[in-house]
Amino acid sequence: MGCCGKTKKSTALADIKRERGCTDIIMLLAFLVSFAILPLIHSEAVKAGADPNKILRGVDMAGRICGTSGSVNNVAYDMTKLPYAAWPHPFYYDYKICVDKCTYTNATTLTAGASNMVYFYPSIQLAYYCIPDVSSALSVAISLNVSGSFSSSVEAAAQAVSDVITVWPYILISCGTAIIVAFIFMPLLRFMGKCIVWSALGCILVGLGGGGYFLYAYGVKSLEDGSLSTDNAEACKITAYVLWGITAIYFLVIFFLRKRIQIAIEVVKDAACAITDMPLLVTFPLFPVIVGAGYICVWLFMATYVWSVSSIAKDTTGIPSEMKEYKIPPGVANGVPTNYPEYWKFTRLTDWQYVAAYLFFHLLWMTQFLFYFAYLAFAGATADWYFTPRDEKGHKKRGKAENELSKWPIVSAVCRTIRYHVGTVATCAFIIAVIQFIRACVLYIEKKVSKDPPNKLQKAIFCLIHCYLKCLECCMDKINKNALVWCAVFGDNFPNSACSSFQLVWANLGRVAALHMVTGILLRITKLAIAAANAGIFAAVFTYYPDLKDKISSIIVPAVIVFLLSYFVATSFMIVFRSVIDTVFLCFLIDCEHNDAGNMMASVALQKLVGKYEADGSKEADEAKARRKRRPGYKEENTDEQQNLTDQVKPLY
């Protein structure tokens, strides 16, 4: 394949490559080194005077850390009796004082030293901070005896909240049943997918054409009766013409892509079959989520140390005008001197800001790594499933023998990924992390240079940059995913996998477009159907279950919450399903390029559509083979190898 290395088109393929080697070793070493640097950063941060208490506990206006003892500018202090940080003015985050308890901020519990407050407000304790209680501060005493619509609305809202509290265990159970409903929908997609897609496409055509007719008729009628001006009536007609033009173009696209749409439908049906055969694919994302949670804990630990490396300095800007009321009389409040002649604060060191930027990049890299690791595991298990021969009943052969699908294909895929392809996953993650880091830097620069009001030309330039970087990220993400599927099949490194898969997809853009059209329709309809079905089930439970029907006033709010939660679960399920669809599709393209009639691993329906089903498509297969011979660089397949594959993989008649 040119720059992609040796072509694999001339080699018949009956299974994924089992004998592999480690790929992208240099990036693997770089990924490991990035973790080895973290303990060094922690050690240097401790030497530089890092103190997480500066972040965890808060610092008052004199630079003293609440709840600790130490010194500021060689002046000792003891704040152990004042462990909490509070804000004299809740709108100014930088200016804090240390208090013994959070009731200090509330005027209703005024204490001797509360004169330090600019404004009094209720607060709640969160860790070592007294956070303003917004709900209490903004609450207004509402009498339920007040007549009118407002009182009725408050009462209805209270009843709805009471209903949700009553049925909350069933709402949690609905998340689990949503997964069960999603599995039930997989066989339905296999049998009704074609009907759903063509019906949806037909409805879109009818909607566009009917909308144009309605606008045209409305414009003509309005012009006759004078209900609209001439310009508005003509605008309705022009809009109708535009809709009719879109309808015609849409019809032509569907007509010329009809065969590719059929292929896409069969690919989705095969993906549904794969999910049904390998249900653990749906639960596997819990593994990277757990690993990611552990990494986040470590990352937060590191970030507190790095971010707390700072030096004490006097603020030369002075206290804001709104804080002028903050006049602390000399003396002692709560046993601590309150005479603050000037405002001191901790300033983060410039060198350690670069270290913080490295930590942020590492977070992006690791997040993408976990995502692509899961994707390669999905791709490995799905590719293994695809290239496994079928038995006489049309099911994939299961067992430990060669050319049989193992009982735990996702476990086998994870083992292959960890043993051989961590470097490839790190490479894909590194590319996306670099783009995301650049986007974050551009956003930071935009906030720094933007004026108030912002310059319109400046906004336009930054908008174009953000758009370009987002498009670049989306394109590279798609290239990475295709490369990982190729790697799952052939075990190639990232450059060869990315280039080879890109050329294969580029040669099948029509099929790619049809697949995206079909999957977009099916996945949206399926998510709504799963959510609606699950919400309907629990609406019936809320209505007819004896222990509930007399305890709730209405099923509407609980049913809506179940619908929203079910839609979220269905969306998560469809992310896995979409990954399986993309893998099956690329495996199908590889299958078409490598295997002739009788040797394809695709389902019977797909083989018929591409003319490679030996019983029904020998003529089409000969034509396809003749077309491949006319391609530059074509090499004749090894007939002995093809014969062996024919013996191994017999078509289903």
Side-chain angles (χ1 to χ4, degrees), residues 85-87 102 105 121-134:
W87 289 267
C102 289
T105 65
Y121 55 86
S123 63
I124 57 175
Q125 179 184 334
L126 181 62
Y128 296 104
Y129 289 87
C130 298
I131 307 298
D133 188 354
V134 178

Side-chain angles (χ1 to χ4, degrees), residues 282-545:
V282 179
T283 60
F284 174 73
L286 292 176
F287 171 72
V289 167
I290 293 172
V291 175
Y295 170 79
I296 289 295
C297 293
V298 174
W299 188 88
L300 289 174
F301 174 80
M302 294 293 303
T304 54
Y305 271 86
V306 170
W307 207 244
S308 64
V309 177
S310 55
S311 60
I312 191 73
K314 183 173 68 174
D315 185 12
T316 58
T317 60
I319 296 178
S321 58
E322 290 82 0
M323 292 284 292
K324 293 302 183 182
E325 299 179 40
Y326 187 79
K327 298 177 181 178
I328 304 176
V332 176
N334 295 334
V336 177
T338 59
N339 186 15
Y340 298 160
E342 45 197 15
Y343 171 49
W344 291 77
K345 65 178 182 179
F346 285 101
T347 304
R348 296 177 180 88
L349 303 179
T350 303
D351 293 342
W352 285 91
Q353 290 180 356
Y354 295 124
V355 177
Y358 170 79
L359 277 182
F360 176 66
F361 176 78
H362 199 276
L363 175 66
L364 298 176
W365 194 3
M366 185 61 182
T367 303
Q368 290 298 319
F369 177 86
L370 292 174
F371 172 77
Y372 284 130
F373 181 90
Y375 192 91
L376 183 54
F378 291 145
T382 306
D384 198 359
W385 176 89
Y386 182 92
F387 287 103
T388 298
R390 301 175 185 267
D391 57 22
E392 292 76 9
K393 296 181 180 180
H395 302 140
K396 294 292 184 178
K397 296 181 179 179
R398 308 296 289 261
K400 298 181 180 180
E402 188 177 356
N403 294 327
E404 289 184 347
L405 185 66
S406 66
K407 294 183 179 180
W408 309 97
I410 185 64
V411 176
S412 301
V414 170
C415 292
R416 283 196 303 271
T417 301
I418 294 175
R419 183 176 180 182
Y420 300 113
H421 304 307
V422 173
T424 302
V425 175
T427 303
C428 296
F430 180 81
I431 294 172
I432 300 299
V434 168
I435 299 174
Q436 291 178 341
F437 186 78
I438 294 174
R439 290 181 62 193
C441 291
V442 171
L443 184 62
Y444 175 79
I445 294 172
E446 181 182 8
K447 290 184 177 181
K448 285 293 184 181
V449 302
S450 294
K451 300 179 181 179
D452 190 19
N455 184 289
K456 293 184 178 180
L457 177 61
Q458 202 175 65
K459 288 180 63 178
I461 292 174
F462 278 110
C463 183
L464 289 175
I465 295 174
H466 287 308
C467 182
Y468 169 77
L469 290 175
K470 182 61 179 178
C471 290
L472 178 63
E473 181 181 346
C474 292
C475 292
M476 289 308 305
D477 178 64
K478 187 61 180 176
I479 291 174
N480 287 344
K481 289 178 179 178
N482 290 337
L484 290 175
V485 176
W486 187 277
C487 177
V489 176
F490 295 106
D492 287 349
N493 58 21
F494 176 77
N496 283 340
S497 296
C499 190
S500 300
S501 60
F502 180 81
Q503 288 193 3
L504 183 61
V505 170
W506 185 262
N508 294 272
L509 286 181
R511 291 175 176 176
V512 173
L515 180 73
H516 280 277
M517 181 191 299
V518 169
T519 53
I521 293 172
L522 278 178
L523 295 187
R524 287 184 179 89
I525 293 176
T526 303
K527 285 189 288 188
L528 290 173
I530 291 171
N534 203 41
I537 292 172
F538 278 86
V541 172
F542 298 151
T543 303
Y544 298 108
Y545 190 56

Side-chain angles (χ1 to χ4, degrees), residues 166-167 170 540-552:
T166 302
V167 301
Y170 297 90
V541 172
F542 298 151
T543 303
Y544 298 108
Y545 190 56
D547 292 343
L548 291 178
K549 65 179 183 179
D550 297 330
K551 295 181 180 180
I552 58 177

Side-chain angles (χ1 to χ4, degrees), residues 162-361:
S162 177
D163 293 340
V164 172
I165 294 175
T166 302
V167 301
W168 73 265
Y170 297 90
I171 292 177
L172 293 180
I173 294 173
S174 69
C175 296
T177 59
I179 298 177
I180 298 175
V181 173
F183 273 110
I184 294 174
F185 267 82
M186 291 297 102
L188 293 179
L189 281 179
R190 294 171 58 187
F191 297 108
M192 300 179 61
K194 183 181 295 186
C195 178
I196 294 173
V197 170
W198 288 114
S199 298
L201 294 176
C203 289
I204 294 173
L205 284 173
V206 172
L208 289 172
Y213 174 78
F214 171 78
L215 285 174
Y216 183 83
Y218 179 72
V220 172
K221 182 180 179 182
S222 300
L223 189 61
E224 292 175 352
D225 59 22
S227 59
L228 287 179
S229 64
T230 303
D231 292 340
N232 289 336
E234 288 298 324
C236 289
K237 290 183 180 180
I238 293 173
T239 306
Y241 294 144
V242 172
L243 287 178
W244 284 337
I246 295 174
T247 303
I249 295 173
Y250 193 71
F251 174 79
L252 292 175
V253 169
I254 293 174
F255 177 78
F256 288 109
L257 291 179
R258 64 190 185 279
K259 187 174 181 179
R260 292 175 175 84
I261 291 174
Q262 292 175 358
I263 291 175
I265 293 171
E266 294 301 327
V267 168
V268 173
K269 291 166 66 175
D270 275 9
C273 185
I275 289 284
T276 305
D277 288 348
M278 300 181 293
L280 282 181
L281 288 179
V282 179
T283 60
F284 174 73
L286 292 176
F287 171 72
V289 167
I290 293 172
V291 175
Y295 170 79
I296 289 295
C297 293
V298 174
W299 188 88
L300 289 174
F301 174 80
M302 294 293 303
T304 54
Y305 271 86
V306 170
W307 207 244
S308 64
V309 177
S310 55
S311 60
I312 191 73
K314 183 173 68 174
D315 185 12
T316 58
T317 60
I319 296 178
S321 58
E322 290 82 0
M323 292 284 292
K324 293 302 183 182
E325 299 179 40
Y326 187 79
K327 298 177 181 178
I328 304 176
V332 176
N334 295 334
V336 177
T338 59
N339 186 15
Y340 298 160
E342 45 197 15
Y343 171 49
W344 291 77
K345 65 178 182 179
F346 285 101
T347 304
R348 296 177 180 88
L349 303 179
T350 303
D351 293 342
W352 285 91
Q353 290 180 356
Y354 295 124
V355 177
Y358 170 79
L359 277 182
F360 176 66
F361 176 78

